[in-house]
Amino acid sequence: QRAAVRRVGMFFALAAVFLVPWTLWLTFDLSERHITHHYDLAWTGFDIGLAASFGATAYTVFRRPDWAHVLAAVTATLLVCDAWFDTVTSAHAHEELIAIVEAAFVELPVAALCIWIVFDTQHVHAATNRAVDQVTGRN
């Protein structure tokens, strides 16, 4: 088992190292503009995945707290990616302003909440149980 952990760790380390020259190559090789025929499909699919991630995170917070940190991490990652790509793919100043406002006041704060869940899952679950007990009248 220890050898498997080392192999997995080595894989991720090599992937990180490989991505440095790959990213540099992309930086200089890709054009600034790219027209795609499935832009709407890409964003619709991404948002469906984000909605599923929110739903799965909610489910784990209430029903499977031992998994809540995993799903919250996924949701936080998707939110940060959404904020980044919304901002950098904005076509004009108005779109960019909307993307920045959404990132600053919605996506990144909710991502921060998810990260808090990641680091404090037990506390979140206990607080959720107390809130549910108060709403339902249970003691």
Side-chain angles (χ1 to χ4, degrees):
Q1 191 175 33
R2 185 172 244 157
V5 170
R6 282 194 199 126
R7 283 193 295 272
V8 169
M10 183 57 72
F11 167 78
F12 282 101
L14 290 172
V17 170
F18 172 76
L19 279 171
V20 172
W22 173 255
T23 303
L24 288 172
W25 178 74
L26 287 176
T27 299
F28 297 109
D29 191 60
L30 290 178
S31 64
E32 256 186 60
R33 290 179 46 122
H34 180 79
I35 297 173
T36 181
H37 298 286
H38 302 292
Y39 186 79
D40 55 343
L41 181 60
W43 280 112
T44 301
F46 184 88
D47 286 340
I48 289 169
L50 184 58
S53 182
F54 268 106
T57 302
Y59 175 80
T60 60
V61 166
F62 288 115
R63 301 284 183 206
R64 296 291 312 267
D66 51 325
W67 282 91
H69 64 288
V70 175
L71 274 297
V74 169
T75 303
T77 302
L78 290 175
L79 284 164
V80 170
C81 291
D82 195 19
W84 170 261
F85 284 107
D86 282 348
T87 303
V88 300
T89 62
S90 299
H92 48 77
H94 180 70
E95 276 185 10
E96 187 174 32
L97 178 63
I98 290 170
I100 290 169
V101 168
E102 284 179 1
F105 294 103
V106 179
E107 294 156 336
L108 297 178
V110 175
L113 172 64
C114 290
I115 292 166
W116 175 71
I117 291 170
V118 169
F119 288 106
D120 203 4
T121 302
Q122 290 178 340
H123 180 264
V124 170
H125 185 62
T128 301
N129 283 342
R130 285 192 302 274
V132 169
D133 289 347
Q134 286 176 351
V135 169
T136 60
R138 288 186 280 173
N139 289 327

mmCIF file of all heavy atoms in Angstrom, residues 57-92:
data_model
loop_
_atom_site.group_PDB
_atom_site.id
_atom_site.type_symbol
_atom_site.label_atom_id
_atom_site.label_comp_id
_atom_site.label_asym_id
_atom_site.label_seq_id
_atom_site.Cartn_x
_atom_site.Cartn_y
_atom_site.Cartn_z
ATOM 1 N N THR A 57 -23.122 18.397 -2.689
ATOM 2 C CA THR A 57 -22.566 18.980 -1.461
ATOM 3 C C THR A 57 -23.663 19.121 -0.415
ATOM 4 O O THR A 57 -23.466 18.779 0.759
ATOM 5 C CB THR A 57 -21.896 20.338 -1.750
ATOM 6 O OG1 THR A 57 -20.869 20.157 -2.718
ATOM 7 C CG2 THR A 57 -21.306 20.933 -0.488
ATOM 8 N N ALA A 58 -24.826 19.613 -0.823
ATOM 9 C CA ALA A 58 -25.945 19.747 0.119
ATOM 10 C C ALA A 58 -26.321 18.393 0.698
ATOM 11 O O ALA A 58 -26.509 18.254 1.911
ATOM 12 C CB ALA A 58 -27.152 20.374 -0.584
ATOM 13 N N TYR A 59 -26.416 17.390 -0.156
ATOM 14 C CA TYR A 59 -26.774 16.048 0.304
ATOM 15 C C TYR A 59 -25.772 15.545 1.345
ATOM 16 O O TYR A 59 -26.161 15.037 2.393
ATOM 17 C CB TYR A 59 -26.837 15.082 -0.879
ATOM 18 C CG TYR A 59 -27.086 13.663 -0.446
ATOM 19 C CD1 TYR A 59 -28.369 13.232 -0.128
ATOM 20 C CD2 TYR A 59 -26.034 12.750 -0.341
ATOM 21 C CE1 TYR A 59 -28.602 11.931 0.299
ATOM 22 C CE2 TYR A 59 -26.260 11.456 0.075
ATOM 23 C CZ TYR A 59 -27.540 11.046 0.393
ATOM 24 O OH TYR A 59 -27.758 9.765 0.819
ATOM 25 N N THR A 60 -24.485 15.715 1.059
ATOM 26 C CA THR A 60 -23.485 15.200 2.004
ATOM 27 C C THR A 60 -23.476 15.977 3.309
ATOM 28 O O THR A 60 -23.237 15.396 4.364
ATOM 29 C CB THR A 60 -22.072 15.183 1.397
ATOM 30 O OG1 THR A 60 -21.697 16.510 1.020
ATOM 31 C CG2 THR A 60 -21.996 14.249 0.208
ATOM 32 N N VAL A 61 -23.734 17.282 3.256
ATOM 33 C CA VAL A 61 -23.782 18.060 4.501
ATOM 34 C C VAL A 61 -24.878 17.525 5.412
ATOM 35 O O VAL A 61 -24.680 17.367 6.614
ATOM 36 C CB VAL A 61 -23.967 19.566 4.211
ATOM 37 C CG1 VAL A 61 -24.360 20.324 5.475
ATOM 38 C CG2 VAL A 61 -22.697 20.156 3.618
ATOM 39 N N PHE A 62 -26.049 17.208 4.825
ATOM 40 C CA PHE A 62 -27.171 16.732 5.623
ATOM 41 C C PHE A 62 -27.126 15.242 5.922
ATOM 42 O O PHE A 62 -27.518 14.810 7.002
ATOM 43 C CB PHE A 62 -28.504 17.047 4.921
ATOM 44 C CG PHE A 62 -28.849 18.499 4.956
ATOM 45 C CD1 PHE A 62 -28.913 19.221 3.780
ATOM 46 C CD2 PHE A 62 -29.116 19.147 6.145
ATOM 47 C CE1 PHE A 62 -29.244 20.568 3.800
ATOM 48 C CE2 PHE A 62 -29.437 20.481 6.178
ATOM 49 C CZ PHE A 62 -29.502 21.198 4.997
ATOM 50 N N ARG A 63 -26.686 14.424 4.973
ATOM 51 C CA ARG A 63 -26.837 12.973 5.110
ATOM 52 C C ARG A 63 -25.544 12.189 5.226
ATOM 53 O O ARG A 63 -25.556 11.076 5.747
ATOM 54 C CB ARG A 63 -27.615 12.421 3.910
ATOM 55 C CG ARG A 63 -28.982 13.014 3.755
ATOM 56 C CD ARG A 63 -29.909 12.417 4.766
ATOM 57 N NE ARG A 63 -31.252 12.943 4.552
ATOM 58 C CZ ARG A 63 -32.134 13.022 5.486
ATOM 59 N NH1 ARG A 63 -31.885 12.604 6.689
ATOM 60 N NH2 ARG A 63 -33.322 13.513 5.222
ATOM 61 N N ARG A 64 -24.467 12.685 4.680
ATOM 62 C CA ARG A 64 -23.191 11.954 4.685
ATOM 63 C C ARG A 64 -22.051 12.893 5.050
ATOM 64 O O ARG A 64 -21.193 13.188 4.221
ATOM 65 C CB ARG A 64 -22.927 11.349 3.300
ATOM 66 C CG ARG A 64 -23.886 10.307 2.804
ATOM 67 C CD ARG A 64 -23.806 8.988 3.562
ATOM 68 N NE ARG A 64 -22.464 8.475 3.742
ATOM 69 C CZ ARG A 64 -21.861 7.620 2.938
ATOM 70 N NH1 ARG A 64 -22.464 7.167 1.881
ATOM 71 N NH2 ARG A 64 -20.647 7.196 3.202
ATOM 72 N N PRO A 65 -22.050 13.404 6.271
ATOM 73 C CA PRO A 65 -21.061 14.417 6.634
ATOM 74 C C PRO A 65 -19.618 13.956 6.476
ATOM 75 O O PRO A 65 -18.724 14.779 6.310
ATOM 76 C CB PRO A 65 -21.391 14.732 8.098
ATOM 77 C CG PRO A 65 -22.173 13.556 8.576
ATOM 78 C CD PRO A 65 -22.906 13.028 7.382
ATOM 79 N N ASP A 66 -19.393 12.642 6.488
ATOM 80 C CA ASP A 66 -18.035 12.152 6.297
ATOM 81 C C ASP A 66 -17.532 12.400 4.872
ATOM 82 O O ASP A 66 -16.334 12.327 4.609
ATOM 83 C CB ASP A 66 -17.947 10.657 6.647
ATOM 84 C CG ASP A 66 -18.995 9.820 5.953
ATOM 85 O OD1 ASP A 66 -20.127 10.308 5.760
ATOM 86 O OD2 ASP A 66 -18.697 8.662 5.610
ATOM 87 N N TRP A 67 -18.439 12.717 3.940
ATOM 88 C CA TRP A 67 -18.068 13.023 2.561
ATOM 89 C C TRP A 67 -18.205 14.504 2.226
ATOM 90 O O TRP A 67 -17.851 14.938 1.124
ATOM 91 C CB TRP A 67 -18.931 12.216 1.587
ATOM 92 C CG TRP A 67 -18.473 10.805 1.468
ATOM 93 C CD1 TRP A 67 -18.879 9.741 2.206
ATOM 94 C CD2 TRP A 67 -17.492 10.315 0.563
ATOM 95 N NE1 TRP A 67 -18.222 8.612 1.810
ATOM 96 C CE2 TRP A 67 -17.364 8.935 0.785
ATOM 97 C CE3 TRP A 67 -16.723 10.902 -0.430
ATOM 98 C CZ2 TRP A 67 -16.482 8.144 0.077
ATOM 99 C CZ3 TRP A 67 -15.848 10.117 -1.148
ATOM 100 C CH2 TRP A 67 -15.733 8.762 -0.885
ATOM 101 N N ALA A 68 -18.730 15.290 3.143
ATOM 102 C CA ALA A 68 -19.015 16.695 2.842
ATOM 103 C C ALA A 68 -17.766 17.461 2.406
ATOM 104 O O ALA A 68 -17.823 18.278 1.484
ATOM 105 C CB ALA A 68 -19.653 17.375 4.048
ATOM 106 N N HIS A 69 -16.643 17.198 3.032
ATOM 107 C CA HIS A 69 -15.427 17.939 2.678
ATOM 108 C C HIS A 69 -14.994 17.655 1.240
ATOM 109 O O HIS A 69 -14.483 18.527 0.556
ATOM 110 C CB HIS A 69 -14.305 17.633 3.672
ATOM 111 C CG HIS A 69 -13.846 16.217 3.671
ATOM 112 N ND1 HIS A 69 -14.599 15.187 4.186
ATOM 113 C CD2 HIS A 69 -12.721 15.663 3.196
ATOM 114 C CE1 HIS A 69 -13.943 14.054 4.039
ATOM 115 N NE2 HIS A 69 -12.802 14.317 3.424
ATOM 116 N N VAL A 70 -15.226 16.441 0.765
ATOM 117 C CA VAL A 70 -14.836 16.083 -0.600
ATOM 118 C C VAL A 70 -15.683 16.859 -1.611
ATOM 119 O O VAL A 70 -15.158 17.490 -2.534
ATOM 120 C CB VAL A 70 -14.967 14.561 -0.829
ATOM 121 C CG1 VAL A 70 -14.688 14.198 -2.271
ATOM 122 C CG2 VAL A 70 -14.046 13.802 0.120
ATOM 123 N N LEU A 71 -17.001 16.810 -1.436
ATOM 124 C CA LEU A 71 -17.891 17.489 -2.378
ATOM 125 C C LEU A 71 -17.764 18.998 -2.272
ATOM 126 O O LEU A 71 -17.861 19.701 -3.287
ATOM 127 C CB LEU A 71 -19.339 17.048 -2.161
ATOM 128 C CG LEU A 71 -19.762 15.774 -2.894
ATOM 129 C CD1 LEU A 71 -19.705 15.915 -4.380
ATOM 130 C CD2 LEU A 71 -19.052 14.547 -2.444
ATOM 131 N N ALA A 72 -17.534 19.511 -1.083
ATOM 132 C CA ALA A 72 -17.337 20.957 -0.927
ATOM 133 C C ALA A 72 -16.070 21.399 -1.659
ATOM 134 O O ALA A 72 -16.046 22.480 -2.262
ATOM 135 C CB ALA A 72 -17.274 21.331 0.548
ATOM 136 N N ALA A 73 -15.036 20.589 -1.637
ATOM 137 C CA ALA A 73 -13.804 20.919 -2.362
ATOM 138 C C ALA A 73 -14.051 20.951 -3.872
ATOM 139 O O ALA A 73 -13.556 21.832 -4.579
ATOM 140 C CB ALA A 73 -12.705 19.918 -2.021
ATOM 141 N N VAL A 74 -14.834 20.003 -4.363
ATOM 142 C CA VAL A 74 -15.182 19.975 -5.789
ATOM 143 C C VAL A 74 -15.969 21.231 -6.156
ATOM 144 O O VAL A 74 -15.679 21.895 -7.156
ATOM 145 C CB VAL A 74 -15.988 18.701 -6.137
ATOM 146 C CG1 VAL A 74 -16.573 18.774 -7.530
ATOM 147 C CG2 VAL A 74 -15.123 17.462 -5.976
ATOM 148 N N THR A 75 -16.966 21.573 -5.339
ATOM 149 C CA THR A 75 -17.790 22.740 -5.619
ATOM 150 C C THR A 75 -16.955 24.019 -5.587
ATOM 151 O O THR A 75 -17.105 24.882 -6.459
ATOM 152 C CB THR A 75 -18.969 22.821 -4.630
ATOM 153 O OG1 THR A 75 -19.719 21.601 -4.726
ATOM 154 C CG2 THR A 75 -19.879 23.996 -4.924
ATOM 155 N N ALA A 76 -16.069 24.144 -4.609
ATOM 156 C CA ALA A 76 -15.200 25.325 -4.535
ATOM 157 C C ALA A 76 -14.334 25.435 -5.787
ATOM 158 O O ALA A 76 -14.188 26.525 -6.361
ATOM 159 C CB ALA A 76 -14.312 25.258 -3.290
ATOM 160 N N THR A 77 -13.792 24.325 -6.221
ATOM 161 C CA THR A 77 -12.949 24.325 -7.415
ATOM 162 C C THR A 77 -13.735 24.764 -8.648
ATOM 163 O O THR A 77 -13.267 25.599 -9.434
ATOM 164 C CB THR A 77 -12.351 22.920 -7.647
ATOM 165 O OG1 THR A 77 -11.600 22.545 -6.485
ATOM 166 C CG2 THR A 77 -11.464 22.891 -8.864
ATOM 167 N N LEU A 78 -14.937 24.217 -8.805
ATOM 168 C CA LEU A 78 -15.764 24.591 -9.949
ATOM 169 C C LEU A 78 -16.140 26.072 -9.906
ATOM 170 O O LEU A 78 -16.159 26.751 -10.938
ATOM 171 C CB LEU A 78 -17.013 23.724 -10.014
ATOM 172 C CG LEU A 78 -16.791 22.260 -10.384
ATOM 173 C CD1 LEU A 78 -18.099 21.471 -10.291
ATOM 174 C CD2 LEU A 78 -16.184 22.126 -11.772
ATOM 175 N N LEU A 79 -16.435 26.591 -8.720
ATOM 176 C CA LEU A 79 -16.785 28.008 -8.593
ATOM 177 C C LEU A 79 -15.617 28.922 -8.961
ATOM 178 O O LEU A 79 -15.798 29.938 -9.638
ATOM 179 C CB LEU A 79 -17.276 28.318 -7.174
ATOM 180 C CG LEU A 79 -18.691 27.853 -6.863
ATOM 181 C CD1 LEU A 79 -18.931 27.859 -5.357
ATOM 182 C CD2 LEU A 79 -19.709 28.729 -7.580
ATOM 183 N N VAL A 80 -14.418 28.570 -8.520
ATOM 184 C CA VAL A 80 -13.236 29.371 -8.859
ATOM 185 C C VAL A 80 -12.988 29.308 -10.370
ATOM 186 O O VAL A 80 -12.691 30.336 -11.003
ATOM 187 C CB VAL A 80 -12.002 28.912 -8.051
ATOM 188 C CG1 VAL A 80 -10.725 29.574 -8.561
ATOM 189 C CG2 VAL A 80 -12.203 29.227 -6.571
ATOM 190 N N CYS A 81 -13.126 28.121 -10.946
ATOM 191 C CA CYS A 81 -12.976 27.993 -12.406
ATOM 192 C C CYS A 81 -14.027 28.812 -13.135
ATOM 193 O O CYS A 81 -13.721 29.488 -14.132
ATOM 194 C CB CYS A 81 -13.071 26.526 -12.830
ATOM 195 S SG CYS A 81 -11.670 25.529 -12.307
ATOM 196 N N ASP A 82 -15.258 28.782 -12.658
ATOM 197 C CA ASP A 82 -16.336 29.545 -13.273
ATOM 198 C C ASP A 82 -16.015 31.039 -13.230
ATOM 199 O O ASP A 82 -16.151 31.743 -14.242
ATOM 200 C CB ASP A 82 -17.652 29.245 -12.556
ATOM 201 C CG ASP A 82 -18.878 29.690 -13.328
ATOM 202 O OD1 ASP A 82 -18.787 29.910 -14.555
ATOM 203 O OD2 ASP A 82 -19.947 29.798 -12.707
ATOM 204 N N ALA A 83 -15.579 31.520 -12.089
ATOM 205 C CA ALA A 83 -15.233 32.935 -11.952
ATOM 206 C C ALA A 83 -14.098 33.307 -12.915
ATOM 207 O O ALA A 83 -14.158 34.337 -13.599
ATOM 208 C CB ALA A 83 -14.836 33.247 -10.511
ATOM 209 N N TRP A 84 -13.081 32.479 -12.968
ATOM 210 C CA TRP A 84 -11.932 32.739 -13.835
ATOM 211 C C TRP A 84 -12.351 32.798 -15.308
ATOM 212 O O TRP A 84 -12.092 33.770 -16.004
ATOM 213 C CB TRP A 84 -10.866 31.663 -13.628
ATOM 214 C CG TRP A 84 -9.766 31.727 -14.632
ATOM 215 C CD1 TRP A 84 -9.623 30.967 -15.749
ATOM 216 C CD2 TRP A 84 -8.652 32.623 -14.622
ATOM 217 N NE1 TRP A 84 -8.493 31.328 -16.434
ATOM 218 C CE2 TRP A 84 -7.871 32.345 -15.758
ATOM 219 C CE3 TRP A 84 -8.235 33.633 -13.759
ATOM 220 C CZ2 TRP A 84 -6.706 33.035 -16.056
ATOM 221 C CZ3 TRP A 84 -7.069 34.322 -14.065
ATOM 222 C CH2 TRP A 84 -6.323 34.021 -15.193
ATOM 223 N N PHE A 85 -13.015 31.760 -15.776
ATOM 224 C CA PHE A 85 -13.350 31.696 -17.188
ATOM 225 C C PHE A 85 -14.423 32.703 -17.591
ATOM 226 O O PHE A 85 -14.377 33.234 -18.702
ATOM 227 C CB PHE A 85 -13.721 30.272 -17.605
ATOM 228 C CG PHE A 85 -12.506 29.404 -17.723
ATOM 229 C CD1 PHE A 85 -12.236 28.438 -16.769
ATOM 230 C CD2 PHE A 85 -11.610 29.576 -18.767
ATOM 231 C CE1 PHE A 85 -11.101 27.652 -16.857
ATOM 232 C CE2 PHE A 85 -10.471 28.798 -18.871
ATOM 233 C CZ PHE A 85 -10.211 27.829 -17.918
ATOM 234 N N ASP A 86 -15.368 32.991 -16.705
ATOM 235 C CA ASP A 86 -16.346 34.046 -17.009
ATOM 236 C C ASP A 86 -15.631 35.374 -17.222
ATOM 237 O O ASP A 86 -15.963 36.136 -18.128
ATOM 238 C CB ASP A 86 -17.363 34.211 -15.873
ATOM 239 C CG ASP A 86 -18.433 33.140 -15.869
ATOM 240 O OD1 ASP A 86 -18.553 32.400 -16.859
ATOM 241 O OD2 ASP A 86 -19.157 33.057 -14.856
ATOM 242 N N THR A 87 -14.645 35.639 -16.381
ATOM 243 C CA THR A 87 -13.935 36.914 -16.447
ATOM 244 C C THR A 87 -13.040 36.997 -17.685
ATOM 245 O O THR A 87 -13.085 37.978 -18.425
ATOM 246 C CB THR A 87 -13.104 37.140 -15.169
ATOM 247 O OG1 THR A 87 -13.981 37.088 -14.037
ATOM 248 C CG2 THR A 87 -12.402 38.485 -15.186
ATOM 249 N N VAL A 88 -12.252 35.973 -17.923
ATOM 250 C CA VAL A 88 -11.278 36.067 -19.023
ATOM 251 C C VAL A 88 -11.889 35.825 -20.399
ATOM 252 O O VAL A 88 -11.267 36.151 -21.407
ATOM 253 C CB VAL A 88 -10.053 35.142 -18.810
ATOM 254 C CG1 VAL A 88 -9.309 35.500 -17.535
ATOM 255 C CG2 VAL A 88 -10.444 33.683 -18.839
ATOM 256 N N THR A 89 -13.096 35.274 -20.458
ATOM 257 C CA THR A 89 -13.732 35.071 -21.765
ATOM 258 C C THR A 89 -14.783 36.132 -22.069
ATOM 259 O O THR A 89 -15.501 36.014 -23.064
ATOM 260 C CB THR A 89 -14.385 33.670 -21.878
ATOM 261 O OG1 THR A 89 -15.408 33.543 -20.894
ATOM 262 C CG2 THR A 89 -13.355 32.573 -21.723
ATOM 263 N N SER A 90 -14.852 37.162 -21.260
ATOM 264 C CA SER A 90 -15.811 38.240 -21.511
ATOM 265 C C SER A 90 -15.463 38.934 -22.822
ATOM 266 O O SER A 90 -14.308 39.249 -23.091
ATOM 267 C CB SER A 90 -15.771 39.261 -20.375
ATOM 268 O OG SER A 90 -16.126 38.648 -19.158
ATOM 269 N N ALA A 91 -16.496 39.192 -23.632
ATOM 270 C CA ALA A 91 -16.280 39.747 -24.964
ATOM 271 C C ALA A 91 -16.090 41.267 -24.955
ATOM 272 O O ALA A 91 -15.416 41.804 -25.813
ATOM 273 C CB ALA A 91 -17.445 39.373 -25.881
ATOM 274 N N HIS A 92 -16.692 41.957 -24.003
ATOM 275 C CA HIS A 92 -16.574 43.412 -23.956
ATOM 276 C C HIS A 92 -16.644 43.880 -22.505
ATOM 277 O O HIS A 92 -16.869 43.089 -21.588
ATOM 278 C CB HIS A 92 -17.634 44.091 -24.829
ATOM 279 C CG HIS A 92 -19.022 43.570 -24.610
ATOM 280 N ND1 HIS A 92 -19.796 43.909 -23.536
ATOM 281 C CD2 HIS A 92 -19.763 42.702 -25.347
ATOM 282 C CE1 HIS A 92 -20.958 43.293 -23.609
ATOM 283 N NE2 HIS A 92 -20.963 42.548 -24.700
#
